[in-house]
Amino acid sequence: MLPSLLADLRYGFRQLRLNPGFASIAVLTLALGIGANTALFSVVRSVLLKPLPYREPERLVRVWMDNRRLQMREDWASYLNYQDYKRLGTSFESMAAFTEPSMNLISDGEPERSRGAFAEAALLDVVGARPIQGRLFTKEEETAGKENVAVIGWGLWQRRFGAGDALGQTLDFDGRRLTVIGVMPPGFAFPMKKSEFWAPL
């Protein structure tokens, strides 16, 4: 079997050397096929095979609502519907609402656009978030007058505070002044990859 394989390989290389145009097309086709398969596997791995970087990711779900009036699928659920889900539902151990604003950070230093989440306190607990400094905000801090606190992401902490003491410092997001009470570890991002702050809803 081995001599036959070597003879076939020699014959194949001889033919490719005699037809360089065909050889170029064959190599290009193989390269494109291998590249496409690699890219497809990378996407499938990141989307379907790689677990989400949260505590018990197999138990997490995101609830959407179809908006028939606007002919939209996967629209945000209304707050009243969410309250009904929370009050009447028995399928979930815990639920938390959040919004995903993009805001101008206009504190000391260069202004920048920053993405984050205004959320119920249960959200960070549901995803198993643990700060490396400070603490998470509590349900009591969702009430008016106590809600001006925030947990910031690793990147924002590095840029704005040079990885120094950020706890107790104030950041201004579009005029809403939030006192930093915690810093998340590197790699933590929710609900978006570029989320950098979390504050009471």
Side-chain angles (χ1 to χ4, degrees):
M1 184 176 175
L2 187 59
S4 175
L5 177 62
L6 291 174
D8 287 343
L9 287 173
R10 277 196 300 271
Y11 176 76
F13 282 123
R14 211 167 31 246
Q15 291 301 313
L16 290 174
R17 198 168 53 244
L18 293 173
N19 298 304
F22 174 75
S24 300
I25 291 172
V27 169
L28 182 62
T29 303
L30 282 170
L32 288 173
I34 293 169
N37 277 311
T38 303
L40 184 61
F41 178 75
S42 298
V43 170
V44 168
R45 181 179 180 275
S46 63
V47 174
L48 299 176
L49 303 178
K50 186 179 178 184
L52 295 171
Y54 310 120
R55 180 184 63 198
E56 298 182 285
E58 71 282 357
R59 299 182 64 198
L60 296 176
V61 296
R62 189 167 182 172
V63 179
W64 299 97
M65 180 180 79
D66 286 349
N67 189 329
R68 292 180 182 161
R69 185 172 59 85
L70 297 177
Q71 298 298 307
M72 286 178 62
R73 289 181 54 78
E74 297 186 352
D75 192 12
W76 289 103
S78 72
Y79 191 68
L80 291 177
N81 282 349
Y82 164 69
Q83 290 295 328
D84 285 342
Y85 301 155
K86 199 169 182 179
R87 183 170 52 88
L88 303 172
T90 57
S91 300
F92 300 106
E93 184 179 314
S94 181
M95 295 181 78
F98 63 91
T99 63
E100 306 173 59
S102 179
M103 306 183 79
N104 295 310
L105 175 55
I106 52 176
S107 302
D108 296 338
E110 194 72 23
E112 62 177 295
R113 199 78 176 152
S114 186
R115 299 203 67 129
F118 288 109
E120 291 181 321
L123 176 72
L124 295 176
D125 186 55
V126 163
V127 298
R130 294 290 176 267
I132 55 167
Q133 284 188 19
R135 62 177 178 85
L136 303 176
F137 53 88
T138 64
K139 186 167 180 56
E140 289 70 35
E141 287 167 323
E142 293 174 20
T143 58
K146 296 183 179 179
E147 81 283 16
N148 292 323
V149 295
V151 177
I152 61 173
W154 173 272
L156 188 57
W157 177 52
Q158 297 281 318
R159 289 195 312 276
R160 286 288 167 166
F161 301 103
D165 187 19
L167 302 182
Q169 301 293 328
T170 303
L171 295 173
D172 190 321
F173 292 93
D174 282 340
R176 181 171 174 178
R177 298 179 66 78
L178 302 175
T179 301
V180 177
I181 60 169
V183 177
M184 297 306 292
F188 178 80
F190 185 90
M192 302 192 67
K193 198 171 184 179
K194 295 186 177 180
S195 296
E196 294 195 299
F197 70 89
W198 299 267
L201 190 61

